[in-house]
Amino acid sequence: MEAAFEVFTAQGYEATAISAVAARAGIGQGTVYRYFGSKREILDHVIDFGVEKVIDSVRIPDLVGTAKSLDDLMDALRAAVYGMYDLLEREPRVLRLLLVEAGAIDPELAQRLFGLEAVTATLVAGELARGVREGWIRADIDPPVIAHAILTLVVPVLLRELHGISDPPARERTATMMLQLLDKTLRARRAAS
């Protein structure tokens, strides 16, 4: 998987031959076909490998069911955003593969990636709904809408970076403003005395 990931992200899926994957892994091309039926099947596993890297960087377990207050949730969201930025610094090809290239390979893969966004938004919406029920998030929000908005706020910075426009101060401003906006949107209003 690591060899296929390296070759696909360096050369692009369409430009990669199975022989290049085999060479990178230090095995014969026939050995690749012993485990995988096609290059497309390898890509599915490479996408899973990339998604695992994103999940590890964003620390999904810290986002689900752990917050006891909006401040806790904001800390977890901040860590997720900076985890994504860290992944972008360490391995920009992961996000380029998932956000840019993979969706253009075929409609089935594009649907799969949209499904991942939907699952992520559902997890975030669940946390928002939990915060509403527990009273630390204002009651008049629509958790699914806000969850998708949170994901949408992150994507432009990632795409800008993926297109080679690395601007750490802009990244920091974006993260700060996004988190402030979310805090103001989500914070439960205190009753007037």
Side-chain angles (χ1 to χ4, degrees), residues 123-193:
L123 289 172
V124 173
E127 280 304 287
L128 297 174
R130 187 173 66 80
V132 168
R133 283 190 310 276
E134 293 177 6
W136 46 268
I137 290 180
R138 59 192 272 192
D140 63 338
I141 68 157
D142 183 330
V145 170
I146 299 296
H148 284 287
I150 290 169
L151 297 178
T152 302
L153 289 171
V154 174
V155 171
V157 173
L158 298 177
L159 290 177
R160 188 170 53 237
E161 298 270 343
L162 290 175
H163 289 297
I165 306 168
S166 181
D167 187 349
R171 187 188 304 165
E172 183 65 34
R173 282 191 315 276
T174 300
T176 299
M177 294 309 298
M178 178 186 74
L179 292 166
Q180 285 177 0
L181 175 67
L182 288 172
D183 188 272
K184 289 181 187 309
T185 300
L186 299 176
R187 191 158 300 277
R189 307 295 190 252
R190 295 188 190 258
S193 327

Side-chain angles (χ1 to χ4, degrees), residues 48-127:
D48 291 342
F49 184 72
V51 168
E52 286 177 28
K53 286 177 177 280
V54 171
I55 288 170
D56 289 345
S57 294
V58 173
R59 297 178 231 152
I60 294 288
D62 293 345
L63 284 171
V64 179
T66 60
K68 303 287 186 233
S69 68
L70 181 59
D71 291 334
D72 288 349
L73 181 61
M74 294 306 295
D75 288 345
L77 287 171
R78 183 175 291 103
V81 168
Y82 284 100
M84 188 66 81
Y85 287 165
D86 183 54
L87 178 63
L88 191 58
E89 287 290 323
R90 287 182 291 116
E91 298 185 71
R93 295 179 302 173
V94 172
L95 294 174
R96 184 171 292 115
L97 177 69
L98 294 175
L99 294 176
V100 178
E101 187 170 347
I105 292 170
D106 64 40
E108 178 186 327
L109 192 51
Q111 280 304 113
R112 182 173 170 208
L113 294 172
F114 284 130
L116 289 172
E117 187 276 340
V119 167
T120 304
T122 299
L123 289 172
V124 173
E127 280 304 287

